[in-house]
Amino acid sequence: MAWTRKHLLDLEELTAGEIVEILDTAASFKEVSGRSVKKVPALRGKVVVNLFFESSTRTSNSFALAAQRLSADTLSFTSSGSSVSKGETLIDTAKNIEAMGVDAFVIRHSAPGAPHLLARHTACSVVNAGDGCHEHPTQGLLDIFTIREHFMRDQAHKKADPALALKGLTVAILGDIRHSRVARSNAHGLRKLGARVILAGPPTLVPAAIGAALGVETSHDIDYVLQESDVLNCLRIQFERKAGRFFPGVREYAAIYGLNEERMKRAKPEAIIMHPGPINRGIEITPELADGPRSVILHQVENGMAVRMAVLYLCVGANN
Ligand code: CP
């Protein structure tokens, strides 16, 4: 399948075939990160700008390194210290940077839809690095890449139909679903590839309406979900978005909904533990589990490099 998109704005709009094309392209780029010279010339002459209006460690650095490994020039913009503090708008900011001769914006913003707005008002490629509670498509893709890599090594026959790529797997997404762009991107992507998805946590943070809107299951019974699932993707409680108002206290949350070693005795023996980071250690997951043998958390970060190289290559380089 030939990639035709200039932007990556969300996973809701992608087909199963397009998602698998990104994953397959990422698999070929993963080898580059293992070389002594970690560079290919795919985006030589292009300029990729990181426009981050919210904090980030993993996504911002991973996109910057991914662009550099593709030989692009990179520019990092953070709103603090910029003319945004004098009242300049997002569109004016982007248009002024575009006038410097850049090719792509990677944008994180607290407003859902900010990347879509940018895509309408500039001629550059736009990649969504997280827009409010809407979507975080490259996190969804790197999570799906990690799941596929872990479980699907010997199942080449599923490649024939992208919509079956993850068929047979149950993925639980646990915790603060209400505020989570990661949950939304994962749910869209996983469902399109045939996985069963269960959103789980307290009723206040996992409203049934979110599951219905995404076309996936919801549950408030963590022990049931543990027995069913091959993948346990724990999400951070987003205290900065006032998620703490939705349960009595962090000790109650950890005791009833957090992942710990005692609770994991009910999980499938082969189940893996994921977390997009940053982690609230001791709240949604204990340090022993986050750092233990079932955890693939740092593999997610490693795979994020390959996935972001693939997204930049396809959107900025391959056809544009
Ligand atoms: N997973 C994630 O988006 O992490 P950052 O906020 O550090 O980018």
Side-chain angles (χ1 to χ4, degrees):
M1 153 168 217
W3 184 265
T4 55
R5 291 182 188 272
K6 182 174 177 176
H7 311 297
L8 177 67
L9 301 176
D10 49 54
L11 294 194
E12 185 175 10
E13 68 178 1
L14 296 194
T15 63
E18 287 173 318
I19 293 172
V20 167
E21 184 170 5
I22 296 173
L23 302 181
D24 289 345
T25 307
S28 65
F29 277 128
K30 191 164 173 179
E31 174 266 326
V32 173
S33 296
R35 293 184 195 164
S36 56
V37 178
K38 300 176 177 57
K39 239 178 164 80
V40 291
L43 292 190
R44 190 157 54 201
K46 303 282 188 186
V47 183
V48 177
V49 182
N50 262 358
L51 268 186
F52 275 65
F53 293 84
E54 274 191 342
S55 328
S56 168
T57 295
R58 280 147 290 271
T59 314
S60 59
N61 289 311
S62 170
F63 264 116
L65 265 181
Q68 287 160 17
R69 286 188 184 172
L70 294 169
S71 302
D73 294 321
T74 57
L75 192 63
S76 280
F77 170 97
T78 50
S79 49
S80 63
S82 76
S83 290
V84 170
S85 62
K86 301 175 197 166
E88 190 162 40
T89 66
L90 169 62
I91 292 171
D92 280 342
T93 301
K95 280 184 166 295
N96 277 271
I97 296 175
E98 183 180 20
M100 298 172 197
V102 310
D103 300 284
F105 289 114
V106 176
I107 177 173
R108 171 169 289 189
H109 202 285
S110 58
H116 307 68
L117 186 72
L118 213 58
R120 286 200 297 277
H121 284 89
T122 76
C124 293
S125 291
V126 177
V127 178
N128 182 358
D131 59 330
C133 300
H134 174 231
E135 278 218 37
H136 189 347
T138 57
Q139 182 68 47
L141 288 166
L142 74 89
D143 291 345
I144 293 168
F145 183 97
T146 304
I147 294 167
R148 188 178 81 151
E149 185 178 59
H150 188 89
F151 287 101
M152 297 293 158
R153 286 195 182 93
D154 304 322
Q155 303 201 34
H157 62 283
K158 290 195 172 173
K159 285 195 165 187
D161 184 351
L164 298 179
L166 297 183
K167 189 148 185 68
L169 284 180
T170 298
V171 180
I173 307 175
L174 308 170
D176 183 1
I177 306 297
R178 178 182 284 275
H179 300 103
S180 179
R181 54 198 179 204
V182 174
R184 284 169 179 75
S185 288
N186 264 275
H188 284 304
L190 289 164
R191 197 175 57 81
K192 285 177 192 206
L193 301 197
R196 177 187 178 202
V197 180
I198 310 176
L199 308 177
T204 48
L205 290 176
V206 188
I210 292 184
L214 293 168
V216 301
E217 296 171 44
T218 54
S219 173
H220 311 304
D221 180 348
I222 297 296
D223 292 338
Y224 161 76
V225 171
L226 286 187
Q227 289 164 24
E228 294 287 302
S229 303
D230 304 290
V231 177
L232 303 164
N233 194 352
C234 266
L235 302 183
R236 184 172 63 90
I237 302 296
Q238 298 198 31
F239 291 106
E240 76 278 17
R241 299 192 208 275
K242 311 286 186 229
R245 291 179 308 180
F246 290 88
F247 50 88
V250 292
R251 276 194 306 190
E252 285 85 352
Y253 184 90
I256 301 170
Y257 297 105
L259 276 195
N260 56 44
E261 290 192 320
E262 185 56 34
R263 183 159 281 137
M264 280 303 290
K265 289 179 185 160
R266 297 179 190 105
K268 292 186 183 179
E270 68 281 11
I272 58 169
I273 294 173
M274 304 177 73
H275 194 304
I279 299 173
N280 292 310
R281 285 174 178 261
I283 302 179
E284 62 261 8
I285 186 169
T286 59
E288 292 73 28
L289 289 182
D291 303 329
R294 286 169 179 262
S295 168
V296 295
I297 293 171
L298 292 179
H299 292 302
Q300 291 172 257
V301 178
E302 179 190 354
N303 290 335
M305 284 295 309
V307 162
R308 290 176 176 126
M309 286 174 79
V311 167
L312 290 175
Y313 169 74
L314 291 169
C315 291
V316 186
N319 299 301
N320 300 296

